[in-house]
Amino acid sequence: MYNKNFLGSIAGAEISYRLKKKSAVSFAYRRSVNSGKKNYEGSINNTDIYIRDFKLRHVNKIFHLGFGRYLGNTGKFKVDMGIVLIYDAQQTINIENWASYLAIHENNYKNSNSLEGGVFASFQYFKKIDTRFDIGLRVQGYYLISVTTFEAISLTPTLTYHS
């Protein structure tokens, strides 16, 4: 009933090393945040419950190791795949009138070893804007094998520096 919002923000950094002209390995860190204010007014067993502007947050700290391949002769497209570890911290409110139950809690790595493993895949388009910089757009998806669920899809602008 009081889950995280579907839309959120994501940011991060990635280091990529080109193995050959059309392939690369990468390591990345990303942090996503989904949040929203929740309100509830009701009662359980003649006890009134009021929740006003309570901010729930779901934060993912994402680490991934991947292999990428540049497509076509123009080198404007790249596909990446790899493994991912996600440390998450999520706040939840559960209200069950039929069970006379109210729970407000936060799960994270410190208090419940909240760590998930999975795979990711991404597709990126980029365009050279300078001799050292590219600007682009990446679509990326994360699937968590440990809990068999699709965790996130991100649409991210990118700025790439070539040394």
Side-chain angles (χ1 to χ4, degrees), residues 53-124:
D53 295 327
F54 190 81
K55 186 175 181 182
L56 289 178
R57 292 175 27 128
H58 185 129
V59 178
N60 285 326
K61 294 178 182 175
I62 304 165
F63 296 90
H64 83 236
L65 180 63
F67 177 78
R69 184 96 175 137
Y70 293 87
L71 305 175
N73 294 331
T74 61
K76 292 184 178 184
F77 300 97
K78 184 181 176 195
V79 175
D80 284 286
M81 288 189 263
I83 58 173
V84 64
L85 281 177
I86 298 180
Y87 293 82
D88 72 331
Q90 62 180 343
Q91 299 165 328
T92 59
I93 299 174
N94 295 325
I95 301 168
E96 300 292 343
N97 287 325
W98 61 272
S100 300
Y101 177 78
L102 168 68
I104 301 171
H105 55 90
E106 179 174 335
N107 290 336
N108 58 45
Y109 185 73
K110 288 181 182 177
N111 70 15
S112 60
N113 294 325
S114 188
L115 171 66
E116 304 297 343
V119 294
F120 77 92
S122 70
F123 179 78
Q124 181 178 358

Side-chain angles (χ1 to χ4, degrees), residues 86 88 90 114-118 142-151:
I86 298 180
D88 72 331
Q90 62 180 343
S114 188
L115 171 66
E116 304 297 343
Y142 299 95
Y143 180 79
L144 299 180
I145 295 170
S146 57
V147 289
T148 63
T149 186
F150 199 74
E151 178 66 14

Side-chain angles (χ1 to χ4, degrees), residues 15-43:
I15 295 173
S16 183
Y17 178 75
R18 259 200 166 151
L19 299 172
K20 295 181 181 178
K21 185 178 179 182
K22 290 196 170 202
S23 62
V25 293
S26 62
F27 175 76
Y29 168 77
R30 290 181 176 51
R31 184 174 188 267
S32 70
V33 178
N34 299 72
S35 64
K37 289 186 179 178
K38 302 299 179 184
N39 294 294
Y40 177 81
E41 185 175 325
S43 64

